[in-house]
Structure formats: structure tokens, C-alpha cells
Amino acid sequence: MIGAMAEQRPGSPEVTDQGSSTRGLSRTTTVLALVLAVVFVSAVLAGAKILVDRNVYTDVSMGPVDAPDADSPACDAILDALPDRTSDYRSVGITEPAPTGAAAYRDSGGAELTVRCGVSAPAQYSVVSSVVSHGGTDWLRVDDATEGSDLSTWYSLSSTPVVAVTGSVDPGTALDSTVSFDGIGRAIADNTDGDAPTPRALPLTDLPADRSAASCTEFGDALADAFGAYRRVTETTAGEPIDGVAVWTAPGAEPVVVRCGVGMPESYAAGAQLTQVDEVPWYEDTALGNGSTAGVWYALGYGSTVAVSLPLDVGDTVLPQISGIIADTMVKTGE
């Protein structure tokens, strides 16, 4: 009976293991195909990344600059200690002929970040300059005031040799918000022991006074606390009081300095070209200090001559306000 029940009935399909074997083979083939596809895609992506990296992380071209200490042993040590990466920036080569004491980085978008060791302290470094500490090193931010430029350079000022780091920034953005200066700062702090650079005196403080000038008290009292982004300061960064001049500062910029009761510069002569700003004629002394983007203007025709030192890109903001104060507080002489 049992044997009869086990017999296959006529017309019924034959029962074998062929179906399960076929299904197993199909699954194996599918898995292999998926693995090969993943390997292929990974290889394509890896190749694409290599190609992109070669096109993005290219060498940076850097021209020569005044860097008297670039070939010093300290600069060699600093460059050797620089990090391979900082934030999104990766160390890259420099196009030959490469300047001495230089290094370069690029980010994933191709933006450049350059490092120059052994440069001179910037002309913008004065007794009212504010510094920021990163990686045990004090940094001074100097934004390029040239119209259309997006460059910002940060100078190490804790010791010598001085290192300059330059990169591009969006308007109103500080370079240290997109680039970590900690690794670069540590490389400098660990390999320098020279004296820190000495800050410069404020502009206009060396001008001769005009002893015959009328009192400047009313004019000085009327000066504003701010000019746009500039805020008035009454002490140096060392805490010493500022006397004889009025000073306004802004991040990354040279100060605005005003002094009343000065003599005219040697460059001025009768018939010199003047610029009328509202009711006040101004004479511009076109001689710029080395590395500085600040010019000096002299207001004429009133009881006292007023000199203003200011970055060239803020003249349209500052001079009209100063002109108004002069016209309101001084007697017009017409001279």
C-alpha cells in the first residue's frame, strides 16, 4: 500500500531537483552581475575622482615678492611643518620657478591659498591694529582695498620671520571663517623665536603743526563716533591714550585718521588741482606709503587746515561727513 502510494500517478509532472538548481544558478548569476556592476561603478568613480583631482589640485603660480627672510632656516622649518591639509584646502605644488619660502594650497573648488614666509611686516600694522590668535600665533588681517579684489592676507606678528597667508573671501567674510589657521599657526609658533615686529606710529602724527591756525576744539567735539563700518577708538591696542588725532578702525582695513591744525605738505603749490567736496576744497597728497593703500587729503579755505588719512575705498563715505563738520564749525577764509 505504501509503495503504491509512492508511485507516480500517470499524467502527473515528474518531480526532480532541476527547478531548485536553476533558481540557485540564477541567483548566483544575479549576485555576480551586481558585484561586477558595483566594481565597475567604483572603478569609474575612482577614475573620475583621480581625473578631477588632477584638474582641480593643480600647481599654483606665485610671483616674487619682497621677502628678505625667505631663505632663512626658520622659514625652511616652518614650511616643513605646515599641514598637508587645512579645512577644505590641500597642499599642492608651485609652478616653476617657485619663489623661495613659499607654499600653496587649493580647495575642492580650485580656490588658491598661498603661504609666504620671510616677508616684511605690513605697512598697515600700527599701534591701533587688532590681532587675532590662532595656533599660538597672532595674526593681522589686511583686506585688499583695490576695487574688485576679493583677496585677504593674514600676517603672523608674534615673532619673526613674518608669514603671510593669502586667500579669496566673500564680501564681509573673514578668511579665518573658511580656513583653519591653527595648523599653520602652530608651525610658525614652534619654529620661530625672533622678536615680534614693531607696530608703526599712527599716520599724520609726524606732520608739522600750524601755530597760526584757529582753535580746533569745536571741530573735534563734532566728529562722529562712526564712519560706516569704522568705529572710533581712543586708545592704542596697548592701552595708551591717543592724543592729537582722532582715529577710527575697521576689521581688515587701515585706520581713518583726522588731525586738525596742520601745515600744508611740501607737495602743495599754488595752482594745484583741488577736489570740491560740498563746501570744502580738498588737496590730495598722492604719495602713498610703501605697501599702503591710504591717501592723505587736506581741507583748505577754513580757519584751520584739516588732514585726513584714509583708505582710498572709503573716501566717498568719509570726506563728505568731514566736509560738513568743517563747514559747520569753522570760519571760511577763502584762502
Side-chain angles (χ1 to χ4, degrees), residues 108-134:
S108 56
E112 299 176 2
L113 184 75
T114 62
V115 179
R116 295 182 185 268
C117 184
V119 300
S120 300
Q124 292 85 349
Y125 183 40
S126 74
V127 293
V128 294
S129 296
S130 296
V131 297
V132 179
S133 182
H134 291 297

Side-chain angles (χ1 to χ4, degrees), residues 146-242:
T146 305
E147 184 177 358
S149 175
D150 62 356
L151 295 179
S152 180
T153 299
W154 289 54
Y155 294 87
S156 68
L157 296 173
S158 298
S159 57
T160 50
V162 175
V163 175
V165 179
T166 302
S168 298
V169 294
D170 294 327
T173 303
L175 188 60
D176 65 344
S177 67
T178 57
V179 178
S180 172
F181 278 74
D182 289 341
I184 300 174
R186 284 193 295 270
I188 296 169
D190 292 344
N191 293 284
T192 57
D193 56 7
D195 294 336
T198 301
R200 298 171 184 252
L202 285 168
L204 310 183
T205 54
D206 59 345
L207 294 180
D210 181 3
R211 301 301 179 187
S212 64
S215 172
C216 292
T217 301
E218 187 177 358
F219 168 80
D221 291 343
L223 290 172
D225 291 330
F227 292 118
Y230 286 77
R231 297 293 181 267
R232 189 166 181 177
V233 295
T234 57
E235 294 182 342
T236 67
T237 50
E240 299 175 352
I242 297 174

Side-chain angles (χ1 to χ4, degrees), residues 189-299:
D190 292 344
N191 293 284
T192 57
D193 56 7
D195 294 336
T198 301
R200 298 171 184 252
L202 285 168
L204 310 183
T205 54
D206 59 345
L207 294 180
D210 181 3
R211 301 301 179 187
S212 64
S215 172
C216 292
T217 301
E218 187 177 358
F219 168 80
D221 291 343
L223 290 172
D225 291 330
F227 292 118
Y230 286 77
R231 297 293 181 267
R232 189 166 181 177
V233 295
T234 57
E235 294 182 342
T236 67
T237 50
E240 299 175 352
I242 297 174
D243 295 321
V245 293
V247 182
W248 295 258
T249 62
E254 295 186 70
V256 172
V257 182
V258 175
R259 182 178 173 188
C260 181
V262 301
M264 291 300 294
E266 295 181 358
S267 60
Y268 176 76
Q273 181 178 351
L274 303 179
T275 300
Q276 190 76 23
V277 180
D278 297 330
E279 299 181 46
V280 180
W282 291 85
Y283 168 71
E284 180 185 8
D285 188 351
T286 56
L288 294 177
N290 184 30
S292 172
T293 59
V296 179
W297 294 73
Y298 294 82

